Amino acid sequence: SAAGSTTSPAFQYSGVGLFASLIDQQRNASNSDFDLLVTAGDNYLAGPQFEASLRQPTGQLFYDALALDLFNIDVGGIGNHEFDFGPDVLARFIDPDGDGTGFRPFVSSNLVIPNDSPLKTLIQPSTVVTKTVNGVEEKVGVVGVTTPLLRSISSPGNIGTIGDRTGTPGFDGLASAVQAEVDKLTQQGIDKVVLVSHLQDINEEKALAGKLRNVDIIVAAGSDTRLANPDDPLLPLTGETAVPSYPLIYNSQTGNQVQSLADLPTGVAPTVIVSTDGEYKYLGNLQVEFNNGAISSILEPGSGPKRNTNLDGLTERSDLVSQVQNPV
């Protein structure tokens, strides 16, 4: 090139190395005192990267699990792709040592897991995340739900689902299974509840918003719905468009969508839905304030999908490069 000219670095996006740096960036910039990092399922996908994991010796974390571990996630949800290789591979993903304890909590309230399955101790209906904030112990309950279409789109073996639309008890049964788990949490005095939901179609989560009580946030996955507001920069890819808005806000009593928290009647708590697409393209970031167990404000400009790209000054975090990307 001519003397004095500079070339811009190649456009880079996605990947676990950049994603770890994005998580760190958002954690450091967050106004929130309590940070909760969750996935809502499809924690791995079939492909050459996963083939590398299947060659790992017994006792070693699969590469996708190692990435989640290095991200320091709090809770994982369970989607349909977790069962693509059968329940035993999923058990090895969560618990490579085979000692009955997972490397992180994984949750789903509507899976029917036989007592003799290795997954019985590895997937719980819900879990409680406890962190000390300003010297005070704060608790958030996290409940999971998995698509009832599991048997027709994956290979769950002897694992069943509540809410299968091809049989009974249908969608109301699915909602009841979730609500029963939420009620267990609220009876323990936990008044902040997040649902990690993998129902394949965001309309399913929208329907749940009106059927559930005391759920504050639904993290929707499986539909790759890229919720965003006009001021949220997206990746410069062909066809990369936003679905308004981040978050979606619902009246928890009627299930009707509203445009803002101010549109809710006095004393009615909102249920909000967030979603983004997968493949490590975006990190969803919802920042909210609670008052008496209900969301009282949504913090901007912090809330929204954060794109995973070097265009925003991110560089790949070295531990993910050396421990995950390079070995794969």
Side-chain angles (χ1 to χ4, degrees):
S1 61
S5 70
T6 57
T7 56
S8 60
F11 167 50
Q12 186 183 359
Y13 74 97
S14 191
V16 294
L18 281 178
F19 203 72
S21 293
L22 177 59
I23 291 168
D24 292 342
Q25 179 196 72
Q26 294 300 309
R27 277 182 171 140
N28 292 336
S30 172
N31 303 324
S32 307
D33 296 315
F34 188 112
D35 71 75
L36 180 75
L37 182 60
V38 300
T39 79
D42 286 0
N43 293 290
Y44 55 82
L45 301 172
Q49 292 90 342
F50 196 69
E51 285 298 317
S53 284
L54 292 176
R55 296 175 192 176
Q56 287 277 64
T58 302
Q60 295 290 310
L61 280 173
F62 287 178
Y63 291 114
D64 292 280
L66 181 56
L68 296 178
D69 199 38
L70 293 172
F71 297 158
N72 196 21
I73 70 163
D74 292 295
V75 186
I78 299 290
N80 52 294
H81 283 294
E82 276 83 355
F83 290 99
D84 285 352
F85 299 89
D88 289 351
V89 169
L90 174 55
R92 194 175 146 205
F93 173 83
I94 298 174
D95 173 25
D97 294 328
D99 64 0
T101 57
F103 75 96
R104 285 290 190 279
F106 283 82
V107 293
S108 181
S109 60
N110 70 319
L111 290 180
V112 181
I113 305 174
N115 289 331
D116 60 354
S117 169
L119 292 174
K120 189 69 177 178
T121 61
L122 301 178
I123 300 174
Q124 300 299 322
S126 68
T127 191
V128 176
V129 178
T130 304
K131 298 188 180 185
T132 301
V133 176
N134 300 326
V136 178
E137 202 173 67
E138 295 279 359
K139 295 177 183 292
V140 171
V142 182
V143 182
V145 65
T146 302
T147 174
L149 302 176
L150 196 59
R151 190 157 299 284
S152 59
I153 59 175
S154 195
S155 305
N158 61 355
I159 309 297
T161 52
I162 296 170
D164 192 333
R165 284 176 285 188
T166 61
T168 56
F171 193 77
D172 285 344
L174 181 147
S176 296
V178 175
Q179 189 64 57
E181 207 53 39
V182 174
D183 291 347
K184 286 181 188 175
L185 294 170
T186 55
Q187 285 160 14
Q188 297 172 39
I190 293 163
D191 61 3
K192 291 175 274 294
V193 176
V194 175
L195 175 65
V196 289
S197 176
H198 198 102
L199 295 180
Q200 299 298 96
D201 181 342
I202 199 165
N203 289 320
E204 304 271 310
E205 278 89 10
K206 291 177 180 179
L208 269 184
K211 287 182 174 289
L212 300 176
R213 298 290 174 266
N214 299 317
V215 172
D216 300 291
I217 300 163
I218 300 175
V219 181
S223 67
D224 279 344
T225 304
R226 189 182 308 112
L227 297 179
N229 296 319
D231 59 346
D232 293 321
L234 301 181
L235 291 168
L237 302 171
T238 304
E240 198 83 352
T241 56
V243 176
S245 53
Y246 194 104
L248 303 174
I249 306 171
Y250 288 82
N251 179 318
S252 63
Q253 292 187 3
T254 65
N256 294 329
Q257 187 176 356
V258 296
Q259 293 304 304
S260 72
L261 296 180
D263 296 329
L264 291 169
T266 303
V268 174
T271 298
V272 304
I273 299 176
V274 291
S275 173
T276 191
D277 41 346
E279 306 276 353
Y280 297 115
K281 286 169 62 181
Y282 294 91
L283 172 68
N285 188 346
L286 178 68
Q287 296 185 24
V288 295
E289 291 178 329
F290 282 89
N291 186 18
N292 293 327
I295 293 173
S296 56
S297 63
I298 298 166
L299 304 181
E300 296 288 355
S303 295
K306 308 304 177 183
R307 61 185 189 176
N308 183 28
T309 173
N310 62 344
L311 297 177
D312 299 330
L314 296 175
T315 55
E316 293 181 315
R317 212 173 82 186
S318 60
D319 56 343
L320 275 293
V321 173
S322 64
Q323 295 181 51
V324 180
Q325 289 179 190
N326 287 349
V328 168

